[in-house]
Amino acid sequence: MADFDFIPGDPSSIEAELRHVHALMQLEQKEDQAQFKLKNAKAGIQERKRRGITWHPVVITREDVGFGGKVVLELERPAGQEGLHLFQAGRNAALFGPAQGHPAADPPTLHGVITSVRRNQLLLTTTREDLPDWVLDGGKLGIDLTFDEVSYREMNQAMNEVMRARGNRLAELRDVLLGARQARFLAPRADDLFYPSPLNDSQLAAVRHVISAQDVAIIHGPPGTGKTTTLVQAIRETIRRERRVLVCAPSNTAVDLLTEKLAEHGVNVIRMGNPSRVSDLLLEHTLDARVMAHPSYSKMRALRQTADQYRETASQHVRHFGHEERQQRQLLKEEARQLFLQADDLERFITEDVLESVQVITCTLVGASHRSIRHLTFDTVFVDEAAQAIEPGCWIPIARGQRVVLAGDHHQLPPTVKSEKAARDGLRETLFEKCIQRQPATARMLTLQYRMHEQIMEFSSRRFYGGRLQAHQRVRHAGLGAYDPGFAPDLPVEFLDTAGFGFLELTIPESRSTANPEEAAVLLKRLTQLLEPYDPAEHEHDPLTIGVIAPYRAQINCLKDAIEEAPGLGSLLQHRRLSVGTVDSFQGQERDIIAISLTRSNRSGEIGFLSDIRRMNVGMTRARRKLLLVGDSSTLGAHPFFQELLAYVEQTGGYRTAWELVDS
């Protein structure tokens, strides 16, 4: 762990801690960059396409001029190449052409940033004011994702700013968040909320807590407790008291969801960056859409189009090129440059005008450094999913605020950290965790959950939340029988034990992944048996949803292959009523039935990253009506968490041996 001991109230301890976190972030950057290069340096185009980091071939369908006179290209890949990919707005990318001169030579490249992705089309804002000849020569073009330096640069800058802060508001917030200064609160009043609200008592208490916080407040939202609903209500109450707030999250999906929810409540909200979800409501609230709706936009566009025409005319080939022609060309180029500068000034004015009246700006953590808003300060900064963000990322928006509200749950998925050493030495410990542990008074936990049958909830409540969670009466006894009486009487939590069967795991050497085909077969047999009474045709308007989870990619592939061959399950998969994936892919989602293949079965009791019990908490709490666990108790039982889980399942009568399934 850390090479220092944190001492509450000691400024030198905080300085040492921040230096340590900064060093870990730089270690993570090196590892991330090394992995990116290693994976992609020697890979050919087909392999890069398979990995989702290359589109090839692409054609230029439109050329435009963007901010600062830089060329913006619309690129399209052929229909029929709709495979999964990692392209998204904000990522760095490079257009490449055929190798020139020698087949072994590196292809020429044109770098830029992706500003929009729509199915088979994307927009690339380049770093150039004119296109190189090889782009226009008609050769085959492709586009690669390149390493994302921007996020690390902004995190590095934010860490330096936080470490240097002395005698200002950032220094005070830093000291409160890291436990060196006591958080302050006004006395909450029963009549201090303006909006009538259907929130429950613990949610209302959390909103009042946010309103009363003078420095920092935390909304702790366990699974199914309505964290997003509570956060949106807290934001609405805050903007009645403050001019403008910033709302951030580490993922585009979370930012999009918050933007939509706020817009539905009539909040004047602008989404910085480009949304990952394509909805009319969301697109209407992007900065681009608001700029285009501005009365001065048509004038700005006309200036750019005229400048573009002048530049094109200046670039045309002239057969007899003398002194007068050269002068004329220079005049046209200068006129184009002046028009582009005027257009840029007008775009800055429009952007400022749009942002002046906005109540809420939403963006990712790195998006808080967007050129259009980096000069702004905010009365309050809200950070959702704060327990999934590494600490340096959180400091980017916090540095722009007078007050901070963090929302999340540190008992669910931690941040992704690629460097094992950085993770081991503390980079996975988030600012959310540090603050909730060092300043417990800053947090309010939501305690009424609306998702799970009480028996599915109970183990998680005891193990992670001090036994404080309660199931709302709507879901308390809502098992499969409540969904359809045709289902046989069944226990909401079931553990099917494969101990003694000899279903030993298989390790796939190439990927260091693990599979257990025999355990997969047991899980699918039990799932098929469970679904026998279910007729999808009778539930067209309220279809049953099923999630199959495994901790390893090899086991997921094994399950998917078997499901596709099983007529009943295969049909559910085809109609998207059944999905298969890792715990991470189900984060923030829920299903009526969740079936988890725990996969590990060996004679040494090794369980790998199943020992990350937060992942198990997320997996189990995705289930609404039925949780089916399949695993080898002799392997799993050596770990205290699984000992407790097995004891709970036995206590509720849900423990079964796989022999019962074989004999049935």
Side-chain angles (χ1 to χ4, degrees):
M1 287 303 289
D3 54 4
F4 62 89
D5 294 314
F6 174 73
I7 304 165
D10 178 8
S12 64
S13 176
I14 281 184
E15 284 178 28
E17 180 176 12
L18 287 167
R19 281 198 302 272
H20 180 70
V21 171
H22 194 201
L24 294 180
M25 187 207 77
Q26 292 173 324
L27 192 65
E28 171 71 358
Q29 180 178 1
K30 285 178 185 171
E31 179 61 26
D32 195 2
Q33 196 159 18
Q35 284 188 23
F36 188 89
K37 283 182 177 173
L38 189 67
K39 267 182 94 171
N40 304 311
K42 294 178 182 176
I45 288 175
Q46 291 307 316
E47 174 61 18
R48 299 201 308 274
K49 281 170 71 173
R50 190 186 67 77
R51 290 177 187 169
I53 62 164
T54 297
W55 284 9
H56 185 273
V58 294
V59 293
I60 298 171
T61 50
R62 186 162 57 89
E63 182 189 332
D64 215 334
V65 178
F67 199 77
K70 300 295 189 285
V71 178
V72 179
L73 298 175
E74 182 180 75
L75 304 171
E76 188 172 323
R77 60 176 176 169
Q81 291 193 13
E82 291 93 347
L84 294 174
H85 63 82
L86 301 175
F87 286 78
Q88 65 183 63
R91 292 290 302 268
N92 292 342
L95 186 71
F96 64 87
Q100 309 210 319
H102 191 279
D106 288 335
T109 54
L110 173 63
H111 290 267
V113 175
I114 296 167
T115 50
S116 172
V117 180
R118 298 280 182 276
R119 292 203 180 104
N120 285 326
Q121 285 184 330
L122 63 80
L123 286 183
L124 180 73
T125 299
T126 74
T127 53
R128 297 276 297 266
E129 292 185 11
D130 49 15
L131 293 175
D133 291 342
W134 60 265
V135 174
L136 307 168
D137 282 346
K140 254 191 185 179
L141 303 174
I143 185 166
D144 280 331
L145 284 178
T146 56
F147 183 70
D148 181 16
E149 296 277 4
V150 177
S151 297
Y152 287 106
R153 187 177 68 235
E154 294 300 337
M155 287 192 285
N156 188 60
Q157 192 170 320
M159 288 300 298
N160 284 326
E161 196 176 343
V162 172
M163 288 189 289
R164 285 196 307 264
R166 298 286 185 277
N168 59 8
R169 187 56 178 152
L170 178 56
E172 291 172 357
L173 290 175
R174 172 197 66 202
D175 292 350
V176 172
L177 284 158
L178 295 176
R181 179 194 291 257
Q182 204 61 37
R184 300 166 301 154
F185 296 88
L186 300 168
R189 301 196 322 267
D191 62 346
D192 58 359
L193 300 185
F194 175 77
Y195 291 105
S197 164
L199 299 188
N200 63 50
D201 288 347
S202 72
Q203 291 171 329
L204 285 169
V207 173
R208 287 198 171 92
H209 182 62
V210 167
I211 299 305
S212 68
Q214 293 184 270
D215 308 295
V216 174
I218 290 178
I219 299 175
H220 180 195
T225 54
K227 172 181 62 70
T228 301
T229 303
T230 308
L231 185 59
V232 166
Q233 197 70 4
I235 294 166
R236 292 178 71 207
E237 290 288 348
T238 301
I239 57 178
R240 284 201 72 249
R241 297 158 172 81
E242 299 173 358
R243 178 169 174 261
R244 181 174 54 208
V245 303
L246 181 65
V247 176
C248 302
S251 74
N252 275 299
T253 307
V255 177
D256 292 345
L257 177 62
L258 285 166
T259 307
E260 284 181 340
K261 296 291 183 189
L262 289 164
E264 284 166 7
H265 284 288
V267 173
N268 184 354
V269 56
I270 282 186
R271 163 69 155 105
M272 301 303 297
N274 286 36
S276 54
R277 290 148 69 121
V278 181
S279 78
D280 291 341
L281 179 63
L282 201 54
L283 293 173
E284 178 190 326
H285 290 278
T286 58
L287 179 62
D288 285 351
R290 297 287 284 275
V291 165
M292 286 171 72
H294 194 276
S296 299
Y297 176 76
S298 55
K299 183 182 175 184
M300 181 199 77
R301 186 160 177 76
L303 284 168
R304 289 233 169 100
Q305 286 174 335
T306 306
D308 215 28
Q309 287 166 7
Y310 285 173
R311 193 170 62 178
E312 265 186 45
T313 306
S315 303
Q316 283 172 3
H317 178 71
V318 178
R319 186 182 294 273
H320 302 291
F321 195 73
H323 175 70
E324 283 183 20
E325 287 82 7
R326 185 174 285 108
Q327 265 194 323
Q328 181 65 22
R329 179 171 289 190
Q330 286 301 113
L331 284 170
L332 285 168
K333 281 187 174 180
E334 180 57 26
E335 187 64 29
R337 195 178 73 81
Q338 291 298 328
L339 288 171
F340 278 131
L341 288 173
Q342 285 179 45
D344 288 352
D345 287 343
L346 189 52
E347 182 167 359
R348 272 189 287 272
F349 163 76
I350 293 170
T351 303
E352 288 288 327
D353 198 38
V354 166
L355 293 174
E356 186 61 30
S357 61
V358 75
Q359 293 172 292
V360 178
I361 293 174
T362 62
C363 58
T364 60
L365 301 176
V366 175
S369 63
H370 191 283
R371 65 172 185 266
S372 299
I373 61 168
R374 66 184 313 147
H375 63 290
L376 300 178
T377 57
F378 300 88
D379 298 309
T380 302
V381 169
F382 290 85
V383 181
D384 192 16
E385 287 188 347
Q388 288 183 60
I390 61 172
E391 182 180 332
C394 287
W395 289 118
I396 300 170
I398 290 171
R400 287 159 177 74
Q402 298 298 305
R403 210 169 64 101
V404 182
V405 178
L406 305 177
D409 179 14
H410 53 304
H411 299 304
Q412 294 191 57
L413 290 183
T416 301
V417 177
K418 294 183 178 177
S419 163
E420 288 180 19
K421 178 168 172 49
R424 194 171 57 246
D425 287 357
L427 193 58
R428 272 213 190 104
E429 188 182 8
T430 62
L431 198 55
F432 184 98
E433 282 178 273
K434 289 178 181 180
C435 188
I436 208 169
Q437 286 160 8
R438 299 173 191 180
Q439 296 258 33
T442 59
R444 288 291 179 275
M445 189 172 93
L446 310 180
T447 55
L448 187 63
Q449 66 84 18
Y450 298 84
R451 175 185 297 164
M452 298 163 269
H453 189 289
E454 63 180 357
Q455 284 188 23
I456 298 172
M457 171 204 77
E458 186 57 33
F459 177 73
S460 179
S461 176
R462 287 185 202 174
R463 185 63 180 74
F464 296 99
Y465 306 106
R468 292 173 60 198
L469 292 188
Q470 296 176 318
H472 187 271
Q473 60 184 16
R474 188 176 75 221
V475 299
R476 192 173 296 154
H477 305 299
L480 287 173
Y483 171 78
D484 186 331
F487 280 101
D490 189 58
L491 289 162
V493 182
E494 178 182 340
F495 188 98
L496 204 52
D497 192 357
T498 63
F501 273 77
F503 293 168
L504 295 178
E505 66 196 49
L506 305 171
T507 301
I508 315 296
E510 297 81 14
S511 61
R512 294 191 302 171
S513 193
T514 302
N516 194 326
E518 292 163 309
E519 181 180 292
V522 168
L523 182 144
L524 297 180
K525 183 176 181 182
R526 175 60 184 136
L527 191 56
T528 303
Q529 186 187 76
L530 198 62
L531 292 169
E532 276 174 12
Y534 174 60
D535 182 357
E538 290 179 13
H539 292 278
E540 281 185 37
H541 302 298
D542 63 333
L544 194 72
T545 57
I546 303 147
V548 177
I549 295 175
Y552 295 93
R553 175 56 55 188
Q555 183 72 341
I556 286 165
N557 293 341
C558 179
L559 285 158
K560 269 187 179 171
D561 291 347
I563 287 168
E564 283 171 3
E565 290 175 15
L569 297 179
S571 173
L572 290 171
L573 183 70
Q574 189 179 351
H575 290 93
R576 298 185 179 179
R577 304 299 180 220
L578 185 153
S579 45
V580 188
T582 61
V583 168
D584 299 54
S585 69
F586 281 91
Q587 170 77 356
Q589 300 182 40
E590 54 190 60
R591 299 288 189 273
D592 291 306
I593 299 172
I594 286 287
I596 303 178
S597 167
L598 295 163
T599 309
R600 300 307 298 262
S601 178
N602 53 67
R603 294 182 179 90
S604 55
E606 287 288 325
I607 64 169
F609 60 71
L610 278 182
S611 58
D612 183 350
I613 60 176
R614 290 183 289 188
R615 278 197 152 72
M616 279 304 298
N617 184 37
V618 173
M620 295 190 299
T621 56
R622 302 307 93 195
R624 287 196 286 252
R625 303 176 184 277
K626 173 77 178 184
L627 173 63
L628 171 64
L629 300 155
V630 182
D632 179 351
S633 65
S634 65
T635 299
L636 300 166
H639 192 282
F641 174 83
F642 289 98
Q643 277 180 11
E644 291 176 46
L645 177 60
L646 286 161
Y648 172 74
V649 177
E650 284 194 64
Q651 174 198 325
T652 56
Y655 175 83
R656 297 178 65 190
T657 171
W659 293 110
E660 294 176 44
L661 186 67
V662 171
D663 295 339
S664 63

